[in-house]
Amino acid sequence: MLRKILIANRGEIAVRIIRACAEMGIRSVAIYSEVDRFALHVKKADESYCIGTEPLAGYLNVYALVDLAAATGCDAVHPGYGFLSENAQFARACKERGLIFIGPESDVIRRMGDKTEARNAMIAAGIPVTPGTANLASVEEALTAAEKIGYPIMLKATSGGGGRGIRRCDNADDLQRNFDRVISEATKAFGSADVFLEKCVVNPRHIEVQVLGDHHGNTIHLYERDCSIQRRNQKLIEIAPSPQLDEAQRQYIGGLAVLAAKAVGYTNAGTVEFLLDSNDRFYFMEMNTRVQVEHTITETITGVDIVEEQIRVAARLPLRCKQEDISRRGYAIQFRINAEDPQNGFLPSFGHISRYYAPGGPGVRTDTAIYTGYDIPPYYDSMLAKLIVSAITWEDTIKRGERALKDMGLFGIKTTIPYYLEILRHPEFRAGCFNTGFIEQHPELVNYSNKPRPEV
């Protein structure tokens, strides 16, 4: 088993990994920029080291992090999600220094991070994909291809992710206007100017499947998550399992995900993402080669500790479960509590948290790195916490979500909590009937009252 892990991340995912290490008897090493000096992950780790005064540069410095891990006696590095988690160079640098990268092999990260190469791998494996192109050399080539595919189309950065480097184009004018914009955005965010086209599946349901693979030839899935409630390609609420699938669809998509993972020799935790169109046809979208933000709800319904399994697989231990051992229980919903003001165009609301009260009770879990008195720095993602609720039935899970959101107290800043309460009360959501167009189709959801509750 591993002895000491450097966590190349910050915030709630760093805290989550530190907790897993503590339960496994593994020492944890945290990193932090100067603005993160008072962050919770810094306080909770066994050791903590400052990586510089710049808010972002230290978290993205491949060789400085590898050097630090080696110098502090670590035998492994966990990248969490975001930052360098899907950076093949980072995984390769770890291996070159004799460190274990807790994730898939660098070549698999590179292949699946290149969306056109990932598409080709899935086509070869017999996985359905949407009609699309290879990387495009010019806007003229893009226009010709779009006419053949048919509008609307999605213009995507080959190395994109997190909702960046992607634009929907409904006609040739849209494509011409967005082509250079997407290339610029992709170059700045991912260091690559490659773009391609895919047929746009209008208002699909976004369904993803959690997979685990070890170094002993075992690959399993942990059922699916419904991530259709999203805004500008960024997920807000995730659900496991999807209330929109029947059992036949569930087994089919789980089998596709395992087939996809085996096709590329995948090890560790990963997620295969699909779009489900209005005719109930599944299409491969992408594979995320890391732990997902929403891994929590899969853990809740299956009882599998995904982060612990990541560490065990990295230590070359076999998976503790076979596919027939995996069962699911009830439903789980995760709410991404963001420091944003929905009534002001979702403008970020960073600042001082004057009071924070975590919800509790049966079927409630909170993953966060905030506390009363914490100052939220403006340099990172706006997500403050993940609130996870679960119950046996879909209806009871919604009720528990309402109760837990009302229990949560976050004062001093604006958050998405009241917005999520409006979503839970919407009849379409309660009926389990929604798609990726839900937020756009219901702008009235921001018209909630700001009048404080009597207890506040």
Side-chain angles (χ1 to χ4, degrees), residues 49-360:
Y49 297 92
C50 184
I51 50 174
T53 57
E54 291 294 320
L56 287 169
Y59 291 111
L60 300 173
N61 191 326
V62 168
Y63 294 103
L65 293 179
V66 171
D67 288 344
L68 178 60
T72 53
C74 293
D75 46 14
V77 175
H78 198 309
Y81 56 73
F83 289 142
L84 296 172
S85 62
E86 293 181 284
N87 186 301
Q89 180 189 3
F90 187 41
R92 188 166 54 250
C94 288
K95 188 173 184 179
E96 289 170 353
R97 287 298 298 272
L99 297 163
I100 295 172
F101 179 82
I102 301 178
E105 297 296 324
S106 60
D107 185 58
V108 175
I109 295 175
R110 182 195 61 77
R111 289 180 64 196
M112 301 313 287
D114 184 307
K115 288 185 170 58
T116 53
E117 191 164 341
R119 279 173 54 87
N120 292 337
M122 294 303 102
I123 292 169
I127 309 293
V129 301
T130 53
T133 69
N135 290 342
L136 299 162
S138 65
V139 67
E140 289 77 20
E141 185 181 353
L143 289 166
T144 301
E147 288 298 328
K148 291 180 180 178
I149 296 172
Y151 292 99
I153 55 96
M154 300 299 290
L155 176 62
K156 292 185 174 183
T158 301
S159 302
R164 294 171 295 175
I166 179 171
R167 292 287 190 284
R168 171 175 166 167
C169 303
D170 293 319
N171 50 55
D173 288 342
D174 282 353
L175 181 53
Q176 285 183 308
R177 183 170 56 254
N178 286 312
F179 192 81
D180 289 337
R181 184 182 303 171
V182 170
I183 288 177
S184 174
E185 187 175 326
T187 303
K188 291 176 182 176
F190 314 112
S192 171
D194 292 334
V195 296
F196 71 105
L197 296 182
E198 269 187 346
K199 176 67 178 175
C200 178
V201 182
V202 179
N203 291 334
R205 285 154 287 175
H206 184 153
I207 311 293
E208 63 185 30
V209 181
Q210 177 73 59
V211 294
L212 287 171
D214 63 20
H215 296 277
H216 303 271
N218 304 308
T219 307
I220 62 173
H221 72 81
L222 302 180
Y223 296 102
E224 83 287 351
R225 300 185 285 255
D226 195 318
C227 304
S228 301
I229 303 297
Q230 51 186 258
R231 176 180 176 271
R232 296 183 178 176
N233 301 308
Q234 286 282 46
K235 302 166 187 174
L236 300 178
I237 297 174
E238 298 102 352
I239 304 152
S242 172
Q244 308 196 76
L245 299 190
D246 59 33
E247 195 57 35
Q249 290 174 309
R250 184 163 289 121
Q251 294 302 323
Y252 172 69
I253 196 174
L256 282 184
V258 170
L259 179 61
K262 288 182 174 179
V264 296
Y266 197 87
T267 54
N268 217 273
T271 307
V272 187
E273 304 204 5
F274 297 90
L275 298 178
L276 178 60
D277 71 11
S278 57
N279 295 313
D280 286 337
R281 292 176 298 202
F282 287 101
Y283 298 103
F284 170 82
M285 184 172 68
E286 63 183 5
M287 185 173 193
N288 289 305
T289 55
R290 53 173 166 78
V291 67
Q292 290 276 89
V293 177
E294 58 272 20
H295 73 278
T296 57
I297 49 176
T298 297
E299 291 179 330
T300 300
I301 66 166
T302 64
V304 176
D305 187 322
I306 293 171
V307 176
E308 186 171 330
E309 287 301 321
Q310 280 192 290
I311 296 170
R312 287 177 53 85
V313 168
R316 300 280 168 163
L317 296 173
L319 294 176
R320 288 177 289 182
C321 298
K322 299 185 184 300
Q323 189 65 64
E324 56 268 26
D325 300 325
I326 304 298
S327 60
R328 66 186 191 282
R329 182 177 182 271
Y331 289 90
I333 302 175
Q334 175 177 281
F335 304 92
R336 299 192 187 195
I337 309 301
N338 297 331
E340 297 172 350
D341 183 1
Q343 294 184 323
N344 192 17
F346 290 85
L347 193 71
S349 179
F350 301 111
H352 183 74
I353 297 177
S354 57
R355 288 287 186 274
Y356 167 59
Y357 305 103

